Structure formats: structure tokens, C-alpha cells
Amino acid sequence: MPTKTISPLELQQIIDSKSPLQLINPLTEDSFAQSHIPTSQNLCVYEIAFEENAKEKLNPQTPTVVYGQNDSFEAASLAAEKLQTLGFQNLSILEGGLETWASQNFPTQTLQSSPIAPSGDFEADLEKSHLRWVGRNLFNQHNGTIAISSATLSIDKGEITGGKIELDMTRITCHDIDDSKMNGILIAHLSNNDFFLTSEFPTASFDLSSITTIPNATYGKPNYTLKGTAIIRGNSQPISSSAIVGYNAESISIQGQFDLDRTDFGSKYGSGRFYEALGMHLVNDLISVSFQLTFPR
């Protein structure tokens, strides 16, 4: 059964009348703190304990109004759906959500302001930053990490202007081979001339040259394209990666993934680009790379 809606004017009239009302903001605690309608309760619908919290804090018999950010998203309708299953009958959704309410000059309340856009040069927290790899052939794959030696980021009023990451290629790990002897054999294989020749080239790097926004990106999908130059085995090649970039009051985060063609950097082992009739010894040219970089503010 569709939930009925209520206009901002109708809601304000109910509030002014002092009639019994449960006004529910189903967004996160941070979002609620930045702006909400006075007298409303924060009951985050994204938490798995939403139903239990609703049973504890709300009365199904009391008229209830739920509001989200706007009508383009579904937090309010999701909360209403869950409340209906709990027996809430006198239930409404605010038309246009908080944005329409505020645009019509009805009152809002703020507990904390949005984080100020960062500016300056930042060093990555290496304990919270990771680079992972996946290498494959037709029937098998291996995965692991490469240690990050350092990562820096330059930002001007929330806009990234530069950055660099350096890797310690002598600290490659494999996570999917439990046998220590076989694990060691693979690491030696990755470290010699077949792949990364770490005895001669112990470091690799990536220098960011440009970052552009991806139009209409929604939260949880890549919102930027990063481009720059990677240096591996002493060879330089352009690299492009989509990434999710964001920040809060505590840190700045960049996460992304891309496929790297190892043969462009001199790793020819098992490549059908260079060797014929490889059979079961064929190794994919592309290595999948994913990264998570966290910069304390």
C-alpha cells in the first residue's frame, strides 16, 4: 500500500497545533547533525537495527511523518515501508523532503556544520592505505599486496592539484597460497626478471598529472578520473584510473581500480604478445590493481 504524502505547509500546521506527532529523519547521524527539522528524531534507516530501534523509541499509534533529503532518493520511502511492516498506519512522507522544506523557508536546525573543504599538502596513513593486485591466466589467479612506501596529496579548497605514490616492490605478498614453500616460489617469480626485476628496480611510482570529475556520478560510484605517469622497472607509461574521492572532518580518501598491462613495462613472461604456442603457460598481460589511500586532515 503506497504511503500517503504531506506538504511542508501541512506539516508546519500540525507542528504549530502541538498535536501528537512523531517526525522521523531516517538519514545518518552526521546528516541529521548538519540539518534537520526541529522536533524530529534521528532514526537511521541504513542501520540493520532500524526496526528494533523503531519498536523501542516509537509508538505505532501516534501519527508519524518521515522525511529524507529530497524526492530523488528513497530513504524516506524505505523507512516508511519498514514502519508499515511494524504496524504503523497513520504514516506520511514529507513531499520534497528536507530540501523543499528549507526552500519554502520553514525552520531547520543544525548541530554541526559540514566539514570545511581541505587545503594543503597531505601524507597518507600507511596503516590504512593499501594497494592490491590480481594476476591471472585462463584457469587460475593469484592475489596479494604491494607495500606503499609513501603517498602525498596536494589539495586547494577541496580540489586535488597533485599527488604521488611510491611502492616498495621488494615487499610483494601473495595471499592465496597457504603453503609457505610454494608462496615463496611465486614471490621469487614475481621479483625476478619474469615480472618486476626488483633487484634492479626496487621501487615503482605514480605521479598524478590531472584529475577530472565524472558527470552525474552518484555516491558509491567513481566520481573522478585520475591520469598520470607510472614508472615500473624503469619504464614510464601513462595510466588512467577511475576513482572515488571524498572527505570528512577526519580524513581524505581515494579509492579506485584499473588494469595495468605489465608488458608495457618490460614484463614479458608467458605473454602471448611475445611468445607462441604457450599452452598452459600463458599468463594474462593485464594485472588488476585496486588501491585505498587515506590521508589524515
Side-chain angles (χ1 to χ4, degrees):
M1 176 179 176
T3 305
K4 64 182 180 179
T5 62
I6 184 173
S7 71
L9 178 59
E10 290 171 325
L11 175 59
Q12 185 61 61
Q13 290 171 341
I14 294 173
I15 294 173
D16 291 341
S17 72
K18 307 297 183 182
S19 299
L21 174 68
Q22 297 175 137
L23 183 55
I24 308 302
N25 178 308
L27 304 179
T28 64
E29 183 178 351
D30 286 343
S31 177
F32 180 81
Q34 289 170 20
S35 183
H36 62 270
I37 300 172
T39 75
S40 58
Q41 300 181 58
N42 184 210
L43 208 64
C44 181
V45 72
Y46 307 133
E47 294 184 0
I48 59 175
F50 175 79
E51 288 93 338
E52 291 302 316
N53 291 335
K55 291 177 184 178
E56 178 183 339
K57 299 177 181 180
L58 304 178
N59 184 343
Q61 308 307 316
T62 302
T64 303
V65 176
V66 181
Y67 68 93
Q69 197 68 30
N70 53 48
D71 285 343
S72 297
F73 297 99
E74 301 180 10
S77 58
L78 176 62
E81 179 183 327
K82 291 177 179 291
L83 291 175
Q84 281 183 330
T85 64
L86 296 177
F88 286 71
Q89 299 298 322
N90 194 348
L91 182 65
S92 304
I93 295 176
L94 177 63
E95 295 171 1
L98 182 63
E99 289 182 4
T100 297
W101 172 271
S103 71
Q104 295 183 10
N105 297 318
F106 292 110
T108 60
Q109 189 173 34
T110 298
L111 302 180
Q112 68 181 35
S113 59
S114 300
I116 298 172
S119 291
D121 297 322
F122 301 88
E123 295 277 346
D125 182 335
L126 298 185
E127 291 188 359
K128 295 181 179 179
S129 300
H130 308 280
L131 185 141
R132 298 176 173 87
W133 61 267
V134 179
R136 304 175 178 89
N137 60 28
L138 185 58
F139 299 105
N140 195 17
Q141 68 176 38
H142 296 295
N143 67 84
T145 62
I146 300 176
I148 299 173
S149 299
S150 65
T152 58
L153 193 65
S154 298
I155 302 180
D156 181 23
K157 298 177 182 178
E159 298 296 324
I160 297 175
T161 58
K164 183 174 184 177
I165 181 171
E166 294 192 350
L167 305 178
D168 183 349
M169 300 302 293
T170 67
R171 294 165 61 197
I172 301 174
T173 67
C174 173
H175 291 170
D176 61 280
I177 300 179
D178 295 328
D179 182 86
S180 59
K181 181 178 179 180
M182 292 304 300
N183 193 298
I185 290 173
L186 177 65
I187 295 303
H189 182 40
L190 295 175
S191 300
N192 66 26
N193 190 47
D194 290 338
F195 284 93
F196 298 116
L197 193 56
T198 60
S199 60
E200 294 186 26
F201 303 101
T203 63
S205 64
F206 172 79
D207 280 287
L208 180 66
S209 59
S210 71
I211 178 168
T212 56
T213 58
I214 297 176
N216 303 316
T218 57
Y219 290 113
K221 289 188 176 181
N223 55 353
Y224 286 91
T225 298
L226 311 180
K227 293 184 178 181
T229 301
I231 301 177
I232 303 172
R233 288 183 55 135
N235 295 302
S236 300
Q237 292 289 335
I239 292 291
S240 177
S241 173
S242 59
I244 299 175
V245 181
Y247 62 86
N248 58 23
E250 289 78 35
S251 60
I252 305 148
S253 176
I254 302 178
Q255 58 178 253
Q257 55 189 7
F258 61 94
D259 286 334
L260 180 145
D261 190 334
R262 62 186 176 88
T263 65
D264 288 341
F265 297 91
S267 171
K268 300 179 181 180
Y269 177 86
S271 171
R273 179 180 172 187
F274 297 97
Y275 304 114
E276 73 279 21
L278 283 161
M280 64 177 291
H281 301 289
L282 177 70
V283 178
N284 293 13
D285 289 350
L286 298 181
I287 298 174
S288 297
V289 178
S290 63
F291 56 91
Q292 171 76 53
L293 302 175
T294 300
F295 301 85
R297 297 189 60 171

mmCIF file of all heavy atoms in Angstrom, residues 45-89:
data_model
loop_
_atom_site.group_PDB
_atom_site.id
_atom_site.type_symbol
_atom_site.label_atom_id
_atom_site.label_comp_id
_atom_site.label_asym_id
_atom_site.label_seq_id
_atom_site.Cartn_x
_atom_site.Cartn_y
_atom_site.Cartn_z
ATOM 1 N N VAL A 45 17.763 4.681 8.837
ATOM 2 C CA VAL A 45 17.189 3.512 8.183
ATOM 3 C C VAL A 45 18.266 2.609 7.600
ATOM 4 O O VAL A 45 18.003 1.446 7.266
ATOM 5 C CB VAL A 45 16.196 3.954 7.086
ATOM 6 C CG1 VAL A 45 16.939 4.542 5.882
ATOM 7 C CG2 VAL A 45 15.302 2.805 6.658
ATOM 8 N N TYR A 46 19.509 3.111 7.472
ATOM 9 C CA TYR A 46 20.589 2.301 6.914
ATOM 10 C C TYR A 46 21.172 1.327 7.931
ATOM 11 O O TYR A 46 21.927 0.428 7.576
ATOM 12 C CB TYR A 46 21.713 3.196 6.385
ATOM 13 C CG TYR A 46 21.247 4.255 5.418
ATOM 14 C CD1 TYR A 46 21.663 5.572 5.539
ATOM 15 C CD2 TYR A 46 20.367 3.950 4.377
ATOM 16 C CE1 TYR A 46 21.235 6.550 4.652
ATOM 17 C CE2 TYR A 46 19.930 4.916 3.494
ATOM 18 C CZ TYR A 46 20.370 6.218 3.637
ATOM 19 O OH TYR A 46 19.939 7.184 2.755
ATOM 20 N N GLU A 47 20.838 1.495 9.196
ATOM 21 C CA GLU A 47 21.326 0.592 10.228
ATOM 22 C C GLU A 47 20.470 -0.675 10.264
ATOM 23 O O GLU A 47 19.243 -0.608 10.134
ATOM 24 C CB GLU A 47 21.299 1.279 11.593
ATOM 25 C CG GLU A 47 22.262 2.451 11.714
ATOM 26 C CD GLU A 47 22.267 3.045 13.108
ATOM 27 O OE1 GLU A 47 21.506 2.523 13.958
ATOM 28 O OE2 GLU A 47 23.008 4.003 13.347
ATOM 29 N N ILE A 48 21.122 -1.808 10.466
ATOM 30 C CA ILE A 48 20.387 -3.075 10.477
ATOM 31 C C ILE A 48 19.450 -3.164 11.685
ATOM 32 O O ILE A 48 18.512 -3.964 11.689
ATOM 33 C CB ILE A 48 21.336 -4.281 10.448
ATOM 34 C CG1 ILE A 48 22.283 -4.271 11.662
ATOM 35 C CG2 ILE A 48 22.147 -4.300 9.164
ATOM 36 C CD1 ILE A 48 23.162 -5.510 11.747
ATOM 37 N N ALA A 49 19.686 -2.322 12.685
ATOM 38 C CA ALA A 49 18.827 -2.338 13.883
ATOM 39 C C ALA A 49 17.687 -1.333 13.775
ATOM 40 O O ALA A 49 17.050 -1.008 14.792
ATOM 41 C CB ALA A 49 19.667 -2.043 15.120
ATOM 42 N N PHE A 50 17.390 -0.851 12.567
ATOM 43 C CA PHE A 50 16.348 0.173 12.412
ATOM 44 C C PHE A 50 15.017 -0.279 13.003
ATOM 45 O O PHE A 50 14.378 0.455 13.764
ATOM 46 C CB PHE A 50 16.163 0.529 10.938
ATOM 47 C CG PHE A 50 15.032 1.479 10.681
ATOM 48 C CD1 PHE A 50 15.184 2.836 10.901
ATOM 49 C CD2 PHE A 50 13.796 1.015 10.227
ATOM 50 C CE1 PHE A 50 14.128 3.727 10.670
ATOM 51 C CE2 PHE A 50 12.737 1.887 9.994
ATOM 52 C CZ PHE A 50 12.904 3.247 10.216
ATOM 53 N N GLU A 51 14.573 -1.485 12.658
ATOM 54 C CA GLU A 51 13.276 -1.958 13.156
ATOM 55 C C GLU A 51 13.267 -2.065 14.675
ATOM 56 O O GLU A 51 12.299 -1.672 15.330
ATOM 57 C CB GLU A 51 12.913 -3.311 12.528
ATOM 58 C CG GLU A 51 12.515 -3.224 11.062
ATOM 59 C CD GLU A 51 13.687 -3.437 10.122
ATOM 60 O OE1 GLU A 51 14.850 -3.239 10.554
ATOM 61 O OE2 GLU A 51 13.444 -3.787 8.960
ATOM 62 N N GLU A 52 14.353 -2.578 15.242
ATOM 63 C CA GLU A 52 14.417 -2.711 16.699
ATOM 64 C C GLU A 52 14.407 -1.339 17.363
ATOM 65 O O GLU A 52 13.756 -1.136 18.399
ATOM 66 C CB GLU A 52 15.677 -3.487 17.098
ATOM 67 C CG GLU A 52 15.654 -4.953 16.709
ATOM 68 C CD GLU A 52 14.456 -5.689 17.309
ATOM 69 O OE1 GLU A 52 14.179 -5.475 18.504
ATOM 70 O OE2 GLU A 52 13.803 -6.451 16.580
ATOM 71 N N ASN A 53 15.137 -0.383 16.772
ATOM 72 C CA ASN A 53 15.147 0.972 17.328
ATOM 73 C C ASN A 53 13.760 1.608 17.234
ATOM 74 O O ASN A 53 13.328 2.316 18.148
ATOM 75 C CB ASN A 53 16.158 1.837 16.576
ATOM 76 C CG ASN A 53 17.589 1.415 16.854
ATOM 77 O OD1 ASN A 53 17.880 0.827 17.900
ATOM 78 N ND2 ASN A 53 18.491 1.698 15.932
ATOM 79 N N ALA A 54 13.063 1.347 16.123
ATOM 80 C CA ALA A 54 11.723 1.897 15.956
ATOM 81 C C ALA A 54 10.760 1.334 16.999
ATOM 82 O O ALA A 54 9.935 2.062 17.568
ATOM 83 C CB ALA A 54 11.212 1.613 14.547
ATOM 84 N N LYS A 55 10.849 0.027 17.251
ATOM 85 C CA LYS A 55 9.989 -0.593 18.268
ATOM 86 C C LYS A 55 10.241 0.010 19.642
ATOM 87 O O LYS A 55 9.319 0.194 20.448
ATOM 88 C CB LYS A 55 10.249 -2.097 18.327
ATOM 89 C CG LYS A 55 9.772 -2.872 17.107
ATOM 90 C CD LYS A 55 10.152 -4.339 17.251
ATOM 91 C CE LYS A 55 9.797 -5.151 16.019
ATOM 92 N NZ LYS A 55 10.212 -6.563 16.165
ATOM 93 N N GLU A 56 11.514 0.327 19.921
ATOM 94 C CA GLU A 56 11.905 0.836 21.237
ATOM 95 C C GLU A 56 11.521 2.303 21.428
ATOM 96 O O GLU A 56 11.101 2.706 22.521
ATOM 97 C CB GLU A 56 13.415 0.660 21.420
ATOM 98 C CG GLU A 56 13.956 1.185 22.736
ATOM 99 C CD GLU A 56 15.460 1.043 22.831
ATOM 100 O OE1 GLU A 56 16.031 0.210 22.098
ATOM 101 O OE2 GLU A 56 16.065 1.774 23.644
ATOM 102 N N LYS A 57 11.639 3.107 20.360
ATOM 103 C CA LYS A 57 11.534 4.558 20.514
ATOM 104 C C LYS A 57 10.224 5.159 20.006
ATOM 105 O O LYS A 57 9.920 6.311 20.321
ATOM 106 C CB LYS A 57 12.712 5.232 19.798
ATOM 107 C CG LYS A 57 14.071 4.824 20.353
ATOM 108 C CD LYS A 57 15.205 5.462 19.576
ATOM 109 C CE LYS A 57 16.563 5.030 20.126
ATOM 110 N NZ LYS A 57 17.688 5.633 19.381
ATOM 111 N N LEU A 58 9.468 4.423 19.194
ATOM 112 C CA LEU A 58 8.279 4.993 18.567
ATOM 113 C C LEU A 58 7.013 4.258 18.990
ATOM 114 O O LEU A 58 7.055 3.097 19.392
ATOM 115 C CB LEU A 58 8.417 4.949 17.038
ATOM 116 C CG LEU A 58 9.651 5.617 16.429
ATOM 117 C CD1 LEU A 58 9.662 5.439 14.911
ATOM 118 C CD2 LEU A 58 9.703 7.102 16.795
ATOM 119 N N ASN A 59 5.885 4.955 18.848
ATOM 120 C CA ASN A 59 4.573 4.378 19.140
ATOM 121 C C ASN A 59 3.814 4.217 17.824
ATOM 122 O O ASN A 59 3.525 5.218 17.151
ATOM 123 C CB ASN A 59 3.801 5.295 20.086
ATOM 124 C CG ASN A 59 2.469 4.696 20.506
ATOM 125 O OD1 ASN A 59 1.952 3.763 19.893
ATOM 126 N ND2 ASN A 59 1.895 5.249 21.574
ATOM 127 N N PRO A 60 3.460 3.000 17.420
ATOM 128 C CA PRO A 60 2.771 2.791 16.139
ATOM 129 C C PRO A 60 1.423 3.502 16.053
ATOM 130 O O PRO A 60 0.906 3.703 14.942
ATOM 131 C CB PRO A 60 2.585 1.269 16.083
ATOM 132 C CG PRO A 60 3.581 0.712 17.028
ATOM 133 C CD PRO A 60 3.728 1.728 18.116
ATOM 134 N N GLN A 61 0.837 3.883 17.180
ATOM 135 C CA GLN A 61 -0.473 4.530 17.179
ATOM 136 C C GLN A 61 -0.381 6.043 16.982
ATOM 137 O O GLN A 61 -1.393 6.692 16.692
ATOM 138 C CB GLN A 61 -1.201 4.228 18.500
ATOM 139 C CG GLN A 61 -1.275 2.756 18.862
ATOM 140 C CD GLN A 61 -1.861 1.912 17.749
ATOM 141 O OE1 GLN A 61 -2.864 2.297 17.126
ATOM 142 N NE2 GLN A 61 -1.250 0.765 17.478
ATOM 143 N N THR A 62 0.782 6.608 17.166
ATOM 144 C CA THR A 62 0.958 8.060 17.052
ATOM 145 C C THR A 62 1.182 8.455 15.587
ATOM 146 O O THR A 62 1.953 7.792 14.882
ATOM 147 C CB THR A 62 2.164 8.521 17.894
ATOM 148 O OG1 THR A 62 1.957 8.139 19.255
ATOM 149 C CG2 THR A 62 2.346 10.028 17.813
ATOM 150 N N PRO A 63 0.527 9.504 15.090
ATOM 151 C CA PRO A 63 0.783 9.970 13.720
ATOM 152 C C PRO A 63 2.280 10.196 13.489
ATOM 153 O O PRO A 63 2.953 10.798 14.330
ATOM 154 C CB PRO A 63 -0.006 11.282 13.650
ATOM 155 C CG PRO A 63 -1.109 11.119 14.642
ATOM 156 C CD PRO A 63 -0.507 10.315 15.764
ATOM 157 N N THR A 64 2.762 9.691 12.352
ATOM 158 C CA THR A 64 4.200 9.694 12.077
ATOM 159 C C THR A 64 4.458 10.259 10.683
ATOM 160 O O THR A 64 3.802 9.891 9.722
ATOM 161 C CB THR A 64 4.767 8.264 12.160
ATOM 162 O OG1 THR A 64 4.481 7.720 13.463
ATOM 163 C CG2 THR A 64 6.269 8.260 11.936
ATOM 164 N N VAL A 65 5.451 11.155 10.586
ATOM 165 C CA VAL A 65 5.879 11.714 9.307
ATOM 166 C C VAL A 65 7.372 11.429 9.149
ATOM 167 O O VAL A 65 8.163 11.671 10.063
ATOM 168 C CB VAL A 65 5.621 13.230 9.222
ATOM 169 C CG1 VAL A 65 6.185 13.798 7.908
ATOM 170 C CG2 VAL A 65 4.122 13.516 9.328
ATOM 171 N N VAL A 66 7.723 10.910 7.982
ATOM 172 C CA VAL A 66 9.118 10.590 7.661
ATOM 173 C C VAL A 66 9.584 11.525 6.538
ATOM 174 O O VAL A 66 8.828 11.795 5.598
ATOM 175 C CB VAL A 66 9.255 9.120 7.199
ATOM 176 C CG1 VAL A 66 10.710 8.790 6.891
ATOM 177 C CG2 VAL A 66 8.714 8.182 8.266
ATOM 178 N N TYR A 67 10.817 12.005 6.630
ATOM 179 C CA TYR A 67 11.350 12.845 5.549
ATOM 180 C C TYR A 67 12.813 12.507 5.274
ATOM 181 O O TYR A 67 13.586 12.223 6.184
ATOM 182 C CB TYR A 67 11.210 14.336 5.879
ATOM 183 C CG TYR A 67 12.085 14.818 7.022
ATOM 184 C CD1 TYR A 67 13.344 15.353 6.779
ATOM 185 C CD2 TYR A 67 11.636 14.734 8.336
ATOM 186 C CE1 TYR A 67 14.144 15.797 7.827
ATOM 187 C CE2 TYR A 67 12.421 15.167 9.388
ATOM 188 C CZ TYR A 67 13.678 15.709 9.126
ATOM 189 O OH TYR A 67 14.474 16.133 10.159
ATOM 190 N N GLY A 68 13.153 12.518 3.988
ATOM 191 C CA GLY A 68 14.533 12.337 3.578
ATOM 192 C C GLY A 68 15.108 13.638 3.061
ATOM 193 O O GLY A 68 14.607 14.725 3.373
ATOM 194 N N GLN A 69 16.153 13.534 2.219
ATOM 195 C CA GLN A 69 16.788 14.739 1.697
ATOM 196 C C GLN A 69 15.918 15.408 0.630
ATOM 197 O O GLN A 69 15.728 16.610 0.641
ATOM 198 C CB GLN A 69 18.161 14.386 1.103
ATOM 199 C CG GLN A 69 19.074 15.586 0.903
ATOM 200 C CD GLN A 69 19.517 16.186 2.229
ATOM 201 O OE1 GLN A 69 19.637 15.497 3.236
ATOM 202 N NE2 GLN A 69 19.716 17.495 2.239
ATOM 203 N N ASN A 70 15.400 14.599 -0.304
ATOM 204 C CA ASN A 70 14.518 15.112 -1.359
ATOM 205 C C ASN A 70 13.787 13.925 -1.982
ATOM 206 O O ASN A 70 13.950 12.786 -1.540
ATOM 207 C CB ASN A 70 15.303 15.900 -2.418
ATOM 208 C CG ASN A 70 16.469 15.109 -2.983
ATOM 209 O OD1 ASN A 70 16.323 13.938 -3.360
ATOM 210 N ND2 ASN A 70 17.638 15.731 -3.046
ATOM 211 N N ASP A 71 13.015 14.179 -3.026
ATOM 212 C CA ASP A 71 12.239 13.100 -3.646
ATOM 213 C C ASP A 71 13.041 12.288 -4.656
ATOM 214 O O ASP A 71 12.515 11.314 -5.221
ATOM 215 C CB ASP A 71 10.998 13.683 -4.341
ATOM 216 C CG ASP A 71 9.921 14.093 -3.346
ATOM 217 O OD1 ASP A 71 9.992 13.642 -2.184
ATOM 218 O OD2 ASP A 71 9.023 14.880 -3.725
ATOM 219 N N SER A 72 14.276 12.670 -4.912
ATOM 220 C CA SER A 72 15.096 11.925 -5.877
ATOM 221 C C SER A 72 15.648 10.636 -5.281
ATOM 222 O O SER A 72 16.060 9.738 -6.012
ATOM 223 C CB SER A 72 16.253 12.798 -6.378
ATOM 224 O OG SER A 72 15.770 13.930 -7.065
ATOM 225 N N PHE A 73 15.699 10.558 -3.961
ATOM 226 C CA PHE A 73 16.249 9.387 -3.289
ATOM 227 C C PHE A 73 15.175 8.673 -2.472
ATOM 228 O O PHE A 73 14.039 9.153 -2.386
ATOM 229 C CB PHE A 73 17.442 9.789 -2.423
ATOM 230 C CG PHE A 73 18.593 10.338 -3.220
ATOM 231 C CD1 PHE A 73 18.782 11.712 -3.331
ATOM 232 C CD2 PHE A 73 19.469 9.488 -3.864
ATOM 233 C CE1 PHE A 73 19.840 12.215 -4.078
ATOM 234 C CE2 PHE A 73 20.528 9.975 -4.603
ATOM 235 C CZ PHE A 73 20.706 11.351 -4.717
ATOM 236 N N GLU A 74 15.513 7.549 -1.870
ATOM 237 C CA GLU A 74 14.489 6.655 -1.362
ATOM 238 C C GLU A 74 14.580 6.337 0.130
ATOM 239 O O GLU A 74 13.930 5.408 0.597
ATOM 240 C CB GLU A 74 14.542 5.340 -2.159
ATOM 241 C CG GLU A 74 14.319 5.532 -3.649
ATOM 242 C CD GLU A 74 14.376 4.231 -4.425
ATOM 243 O OE1 GLU A 74 14.395 3.160 -3.776
ATOM 244 O OE2 GLU A 74 14.405 4.284 -5.665
ATOM 245 N N ALA A 75 15.378 7.089 0.879
ATOM 246 C CA ALA A 75 15.500 6.783 2.304
ATOM 247 C C ALA A 75 14.154 6.899 3.017
ATOM 248 O O ALA A 75 13.799 6.056 3.853
ATOM 249 C CB ALA A 75 16.532 7.695 2.956
ATOM 250 N N ALA A 76 13.387 7.934 2.694
ATOM 251 C CA ALA A 76 12.101 8.127 3.370
ATOM 252 C C ALA A 76 11.115 7.010 3.033
ATOM 253 O O ALA A 76 10.428 6.485 3.921
ATOM 254 C CB ALA A 76 11.511 9.485 2.986
ATOM 255 N N SER A 77 11.044 6.626 1.756
ATOM 256 C CA SER A 77 10.117 5.562 1.371
ATOM 257 C C SER A 77 10.550 4.218 1.947
ATOM 258 O O SER A 77 9.705 3.395 2.317
ATOM 259 C CB SER A 77 9.998 5.478 -0.146
ATOM 260 O OG SER A 77 11.253 5.250 -0.750
ATOM 261 N N LEU A 78 11.865 3.992 2.058
ATOM 262 C CA LEU A 78 12.351 2.755 2.670
ATOM 263 C C LEU A 78 11.970 2.708 4.141
ATOM 264 O O LEU A 78 11.496 1.674 4.647
ATOM 265 C CB LEU A 78 13.870 2.650 2.506
ATOM 266 C CG LEU A 78 14.541 1.460 3.185
ATOM 267 C CD1 LEU A 78 14.030 0.141 2.608
ATOM 268 C CD2 LEU A 78 16.070 1.552 3.041
ATOM 269 N N ALA A 79 12.169 3.832 4.842
ATOM 270 C CA ALA A 79 11.794 3.880 6.261
ATOM 271 C C ALA A 79 10.296 3.674 6.431
ATOM 272 O O ALA A 79 9.852 2.940 7.324
ATOM 273 C CB ALA A 79 12.234 5.215 6.865
ATOM 274 N N ALA A 80 9.498 4.307 5.566
ATOM 275 C CA ALA A 80 8.039 4.155 5.655
ATOM 276 C C ALA A 80 7.627 2.708 5.422
ATOM 277 O O ALA A 80 6.739 2.173 6.111
ATOM 278 C CB ALA A 80 7.365 5.074 4.641
ATOM 279 N N GLU A 81 8.262 2.061 4.463
ATOM 280 C CA GLU A 81 7.965 0.652 4.180
ATOM 281 C C GLU A 81 8.242 -0.226 5.393
ATOM 282 O O GLU A 81 7.450 -1.106 5.748
ATOM 283 C CB GLU A 81 8.797 0.207 2.982
ATOM 284 C CG GLU A 81 8.611 -1.249 2.587
ATOM 285 C CD GLU A 81 9.523 -1.645 1.436
ATOM 286 O OE1 GLU A 81 9.797 -0.793 0.575
ATOM 287 O OE2 GLU A 81 9.964 -2.809 1.417
ATOM 288 N N LYS A 82 9.395 0.013 6.040
ATOM 289 C CA LYS A 82 9.746 -0.777 7.216
ATOM 290 C C LYS A 82 8.795 -0.492 8.385
ATOM 291 O O LYS A 82 8.419 -1.407 9.130
ATOM 292 C CB LYS A 82 11.199 -0.501 7.615
ATOM 293 C CG LYS A 82 12.226 -1.048 6.633
ATOM 294 C CD LYS A 82 13.650 -0.682 7.054
ATOM 295 C CE LYS A 82 14.685 -1.239 6.090
ATOM 296 N NZ LYS A 82 14.791 -2.710 6.153
ATOM 297 N N LEU A 83 8.403 0.764 8.539
ATOM 298 C CA LEU A 83 7.488 1.114 9.623
ATOM 299 C C LEU A 83 6.102 0.520 9.401
ATOM 300 O O LEU A 83 5.428 0.098 10.354
ATOM 301 C CB LEU A 83 7.396 2.634 9.768
ATOM 302 C CG LEU A 83 8.658 3.333 10.285
ATOM 303 C CD1 LEU A 83 8.490 4.843 10.260
ATOM 304 C CD2 LEU A 83 9.005 2.856 11.701
ATOM 305 N N GLN A 84 5.680 0.465 8.147
ATOM 306 C CA GLN A 84 4.387 -0.154 7.845
ATOM 307 C C GLN A 84 4.366 -1.622 8.257
ATOM 308 O O GLN A 84 3.366 -2.118 8.772
ATOM 309 C CB GLN A 84 4.074 -0.020 6.356
ATOM 310 C CG GLN A 84 3.562 1.351 5.950
ATOM 311 C CD GLN A 84 3.199 1.417 4.478
ATOM 312 O OE1 GLN A 84 3.782 0.732 3.650
ATOM 313 N NE2 GLN A 84 2.235 2.257 4.143
ATOM 314 N N THR A 85 5.470 -2.321 8.038
ATOM 315 C CA THR A 85 5.529 -3.732 8.428
ATOM 316 C C THR A 85 5.483 -3.895 9.945
ATOM 317 O O THR A 85 5.157 -4.979 10.437
ATOM 318 C CB THR A 85 6.807 -4.404 7.894
ATOM 319 O OG1 THR A 85 7.962 -3.807 8.495
ATOM 320 C CG2 THR A 85 6.908 -4.265 6.384
ATOM 321 N N LEU A 86 5.778 -2.804 10.682
ATOM 322 C CA LEU A 86 5.728 -2.840 12.142
ATOM 323 C C LEU A 86 4.365 -2.405 12.678
ATOM 324 O O LEU A 86 4.184 -2.309 13.892
ATOM 325 C CB LEU A 86 6.830 -1.946 12.728
ATOM 326 C CG LEU A 86 8.271 -2.361 12.437
ATOM 327 C CD1 LEU A 86 9.252 -1.343 13.017
ATOM 328 C CD2 LEU A 86 8.572 -3.754 13.000
ATOM 329 N N GLY A 87 3.439 -2.105 11.773
ATOM 330 C CA GLY A 87 2.086 -1.772 12.205
ATOM 331 C C GLY A 87 1.767 -0.298 12.271
ATOM 332 O O GLY A 87 0.711 0.093 12.795
ATOM 333 N N PHE A 88 2.650 0.550 11.728
ATOM 334 C CA PHE A 88 2.367 1.983 11.697
ATOM 335 C C PHE A 88 1.339 2.247 10.592
ATOM 336 O O PHE A 88 1.609 1.996 9.408
ATOM 337 C CB PHE A 88 3.642 2.786 11.429
ATOM 338 C CG PHE A 88 4.582 2.860 12.596
ATOM 339 C CD1 PHE A 88 5.297 1.737 13.001
ATOM 340 C CD2 PHE A 88 4.752 4.043 13.293
ATOM 341 C CE1 PHE A 88 6.174 1.800 14.077
ATOM 342 C CE2 PHE A 88 5.624 4.121 14.368
ATOM 343 C CZ PHE A 88 6.329 2.987 14.773
ATOM 344 N N GLN A 89 0.161 2.763 10.959
ATOM 345 C CA GLN A 89 -0.905 3.007 9.992
ATOM 346 C C GLN A 89 -1.029 4.483 9.629
ATOM 347 O O GLN A 89 -1.225 4.829 8.465
ATOM 348 C CB GLN A 89 -2.229 2.489 10.554
ATOM 349 C CG GLN A 89 -2.233 0.998 10.838
ATOM 350 C CD GLN A 89 -2.013 0.159 9.581
ATOM 351 O OE1 GLN A 89 -2.512 0.493 8.503
ATOM 352 N NE2 GLN A 89 -1.264 -0.931 9.729
#
